[in-house]
Amino acid sequence: MLSYLLITLIIFFGHSEDLLGTTLLSRPLVLAPLVGWALGDWQQGVVIGASLELIFMGNIKVGAAIPPDVVTGGVLGTAFAMLSHKGVGIALALAIPISILAEMLLSALFVTRSVFNKTFVRYAAEGNWRGVQRLHVLSGFVKPVLMALVGFLALRLGAGVMKNFLDTIPSWVNTGLQVAGNLLPALGFALLMNLLFHKRVAPYFFLGFLLAAYLKMPVIAIGGLGVIIAFLVTQDRAPSAPDEDSEEEEADRAPAGANDLAPPQPALAKRDLRRIFWRSMLLEANFNFETWQNTGFAFALLPVLKKFYSTKESMAAALQRHLQLFNTSTYGSTLILGLTAAMEEQNSRDAEFDAESINSVKLGLMGPLAGVFDSLFWGTLKVIAAGVGTSLALKGNVMGVVLFILLFNVPHLLLRYQLTFIGYKTGTRFLMQLSKNNVMDRLKNGAAILGLMVVGAMPATLMSIHTPLSFGEGAGLQGVLDQIVPALLPLGLTFLTYYFLRRGVKTTALLLGLLVVGFLGSILHWII
């Protein structure tokens, strides 16, 4: 019973990701080792977590896409496999259907969360910031509590039944599932390619593959080389220093309020901006398909609003302003929050300030910043962290888990923290300078180059697909393929999966299809 309670707490922790700033602590590479620890074999948990991470590597929530629930699926799949003393293959086979079923529950939850919106609107109209704050935080606990309850019931009622069922499975089925599991990472790589792959940067994918397949370079080395190449490729001629006249012309072209965003004596202290940063971690606590991240934005900005607006009427107007639709990358959200704080400060000081311009600026920045920061973090930093982490964790090395967390979150949290201050101090002038120097475009291109080099290396280093077929009594087919291109089968399967993904085939269908192909290939002795 104690182990069931610990696993239930792990599910609760994993589903608290929206309360923890999207720090990737919900990934299988992190949670499966915790399950292993709860069941007395953390090293097996590390290996299972690495295998699950490869499968679900491209499993990310972007926009309205709700991917399979890797938290519930990964934790329960790992738990059932370990309780039954089965291997990685069983864990993978169980995690997929469980994650798909749990996805249906989560989709319903994101829809039903919209019923809270009327209450938020009422609180805003009353200037009741405490009600907005309380309801936002409470709504963030609905998902962890619900899914933890589902997980506990599944363990309490189904663990014995599942163990008895798995004990009846013959060894050849277990072998087939293990082989099928080796094919599943192709979907994770294909999903990442779908995010990053386009003609301009496609050659860097093949460069990463060749470095891994022929030179046997580790993923971390390819990532380091990718940083250098991305830096060199995206360099541009330094823009000439603008003269005073051009600066004045630029100021004349600046949007309304842009020249007033950094008042001589700022009203906000560093501690106020730090509070915005910490509160931004709960940006998606009440994420829903009607107003997206709006309550999270208002929640993060509350320390500022309370400081600037002392009457119920002024607070009501501010809350209503920020309960409009909002959605951007969580990783770049603090730049908009800092900028909005500066504009709210100016609005509170200047009766002539156009308050509508605050939302105009917010809406104008949502899309561009989402594109840049999603590419940078989902398509690049996460890929590098997962590549390094899984390559170690597949060998049972827990340092793979530690490096995964640190490689992603050290730059994430440092940048997120600094963007709060940059947004407040420099406002739209900072963004205009970035636009003038094409920094955003260069950053996106550099991120795509680096991300694709690492993704290209993964089929050659993290997938194990071989064929025992031979030409009569002559050389084996695998030897011929290796002479043509090493790791050709993993590469070909990744591109085949990517092709079907681009043709609109659903992720669930591809997962099941890869399982069937791998299982049948093992039975027919075509794949090992």
Side-chain angles (χ1 to χ4, degrees), residues 13 35 72 80-81 95 125 153 159 174 182 202 263 287 297 305 334 342 356 365 418 452 484 514:
F13 171 73
V35 175
T72 308
F80 286 142
L153 292 175
N174 197 10
N182 292 337
F287 179 87
F297 193 93
L305 302 183
T334 51
E356 293 299 321
L365 293 178
Q418 291 298 326
L452 276 177
I484 300 172
L514 287 169

Side-chain angles (χ1 to χ4, degrees), residues 201-218:
V201 294
Y204 297 100
F205 174 92
F206 297 102
L207 176 59
F209 174 80
L210 293 174
L211 291 172
Y214 285 96
L215 301 184
K216 308 301 180 185
M217 288 180 64

Side-chain angles (χ1 to χ4, degrees), residues 227-273:
V227 171
I228 297 172
I229 293 175
F231 177 78
L232 294 175
V233 170
T234 57
Q235 284 303 291
D236 200 357
R237 292 181 181 179
S240 57
D243 55 30
E244 294 182 1
D245 291 339
S246 64
E247 287 184 353
E248 290 177 1
E249 292 173 1
E250 191 68 42
D252 291 338
R253 291 194 298 269
N259 296 317
D260 301 320
L261 291 175
Q265 295 179 341
L268 297 182
K270 285 187 176 180
R271 66 176 178 274
D272 298 316
L273 295 173

Side-chain angles (χ1 to χ4, degrees), residues 231-344:
F231 177 78
L232 294 175
V233 170
T234 57
Q235 284 303 291
D236 200 357
R237 292 181 181 179
S240 57
D243 55 30
E244 294 182 1
D245 291 339
S246 64
E247 287 184 353
E248 290 177 1
E249 292 173 1
E250 191 68 42
D252 291 338
R253 291 194 298 269
N259 296 317
D260 301 320
L261 291 175
Q265 295 179 341
L268 297 182
K270 285 187 176 180
R271 66 176 178 274
D272 298 316
L273 295 173
R274 281 196 291 267
R275 291 178 70 188
I276 292 175
F277 161 72
W278 287 114
R279 281 170 165 258
S280 77
M281 297 296 170
L282 282 75
L283 183 69
E284 295 200 319
N286 184 48
F287 179 87
N288 63 88
F289 291 135
E290 184 178 337
T291 53
W292 304 81
Q293 302 164 338
N294 68 330
T295 63
F297 193 93
F299 172 81
L301 210 60
L302 273 178
V304 172
L305 302 183
K306 289 190 295 179
K307 192 163 188 173
F308 294 150
Y309 305 113
S310 56
T311 66
K312 279 194 173 182
E313 291 76 13
S314 59
M315 175 60 76
L319 287 174
Q320 289 172 324
R321 185 160 54 245
H322 294 298
L323 285 181
Q324 303 299 314
L325 181 145
F326 181 81
N327 187 43
T328 194
S329 169
T330 56
Y331 306 111
S333 60
T334 51
L335 182 62
I336 303 179
L337 281 165
L339 172 59
T340 304
M343 297 185 76
E344 288 290 358

Side-chain angles (χ1 to χ4, degrees), residues 89-90 93 169-183 514-524 527-528:
I90 292 294
I169 295 178
S171 59
W172 61 270
V173 173
N174 197 10
T175 301
L177 291 174
Q178 182 69 56
V179 172
N182 292 337
L183 271 61
L514 287 169
L515 270 175
V516 170
V517 169
F519 188 76
L520 292 178
S522 173
I523 294 175
L524 298 172
I527 307 172
I528 57 174

Side-chain angles (χ1 to χ4, degrees), residues 454-476:
V454 175
V455 175
M458 287 179 175
T461 55
L462 300 177
M463 284 183 72
S464 177
I465 307 176
H466 302 281
T467 177
L469 296 176
S470 61
F471 302 101
E473 297 181 358

Side-chain angles (χ1 to χ4, degrees), residues 337-484:
L337 281 165
L339 172 59
T340 304
M343 297 185 76
E344 288 290 358
E345 180 179 327
Q346 186 67 15
N347 183 56
S348 67
R349 291 182 172 189
D350 184 0
E352 301 298 322
F353 187 86
D354 181 10
E356 293 299 321
S357 66
I358 299 176
N359 267 337
S360 297
V361 171
K362 282 172 55 181
L363 292 172
L365 293 178
M366 287 190 326
L369 288 186
V372 171
F373 284 95
D374 281 343
S375 297
L376 179 62
F377 283 92
W378 287 123
T380 305
L381 200 55
K382 177 182 176 292
V383 172
I384 295 172
V388 173
T390 52
S391 62
L392 291 173
L394 284 171
K395 302 172 185 176
N397 190 339
V398 74
M399 281 304 298
V401 181
V402 176
L403 285 175
F404 171 72
I405 295 172
L406 293 179
L407 285 174
F408 186 85
N409 283 305
V410 170
H412 158 215
L413 295 175
L414 286 176
L415 180 61
R416 192 168 183 164
Y417 178 80
Q418 291 298 326
L419 286 175
T420 315
F421 292 85
I422 291 173
Y424 177 66
K425 291 178 180 178
T426 61
T428 54
R429 285 175 292 181
F430 171 75
L431 296 169
M432 289 166 60
Q433 189 67 24
L434 291 181
S435 177
K436 185 171 65 175
N437 294 333
N438 294 321
V439 172
M440 291 294 196
D441 290 337
R442 289 157 58 187
L443 184 60
K444 287 180 69 174
N445 288 334
I449 290 171
L450 175 56
L452 276 177
M453 282 189 64
V454 175
V455 175
M458 287 179 175
T461 55
L462 300 177
M463 284 183 72
S464 177
I465 307 176
H466 302 281
T467 177
L469 296 176
S470 61
F471 302 101
E473 297 181 358
L477 177 59
Q478 186 63 53
V480 174
L481 293 176
D482 287 341
Q483 290 179 14
I484 300 172

